Amino acid sequence: MELIIERIPTGIEGLDRLIEGGIPKFTSGIIITDRRSPGALFGKQILWNDLNRGLNCAYFHTRYASGKEFFDEMAGHGWDAEPYAERGSLRVADYLQLAELTPEDARSKRFVGDARKIEGQTISAAKLTELTRTANYDFALYD
């Protein structure tokens, strides 16, 4: 008996052929890239294709990039992502801000084990991982 895995195409024909039709459904699809690299365009293209399929997506940036820059870059490729954000199917957020420890986190000592200072902020990879795991999106791009 052969197990058939339902897949979500990335919309990039060569990649879909290599990964047997797309990313397996019900798995996390996350791309982490430098916004100036070719991988950034690759990730944005998958994100755009997924938005057009009706999937929920997220774009996480650092303070070195902004949501406005993301929307401008997308528009430069002919992809108007702002209506998706307005409808709630696209979330754009600063991931260092999301991972920053709050006073409540510090009091509960929940995420302090892996806390690190980055540019004056105390952040926790564990907190970001938990937020990512419980989030309601099908694809995320970290830039």
Side-chain angles (χ1 to χ4, degrees), residues 53-75:
R53 280 190 199 92
L55 300 178
N56 291 320
C57 298
Y59 173 77
F60 296 105
H61 59 85
T62 66
R63 68 180 56 105
Y64 301 111
S66 68
K68 181 184 179 331
E69 287 174 308
F70 166 74
F71 289 117
D72 289 347
E73 290 169 4
M74 293 291 283

Side-chain angles (χ1 to χ4, degrees), residues 96-135:
L96 289 179
Q97 185 178 22
L98 290 174
E100 187 171 18
L101 293 180
T102 64
E104 297 84 38
D105 293 330
R107 279 193 297 278
S108 73
K109 299 185 185 329
R110 187 166 172 203
F111 300 112
V112 296
D114 77 334
R116 301 283 183 270
K117 280 275 195 198
I118 297 182
E119 297 179 16
Q121 288 179 289
T122 305
I123 67 160
S124 164
K127 181 176 181 180
L128 185 60
T129 300
E130 183 171 303
L131 289 170
T132 301
R133 187 178 32 111
T134 60

Side-chain angles (χ1 to χ4, degrees), residues 48 68 71-72 75 79-87 90:
W48 177 248
K68 181 184 179 331
F71 289 117
D72 289 347
W79 306 324
D80 184 7
E82 290 190 55
Y84 294 96
E86 291 166 5
R87 286 194 297 268
L90 172 62

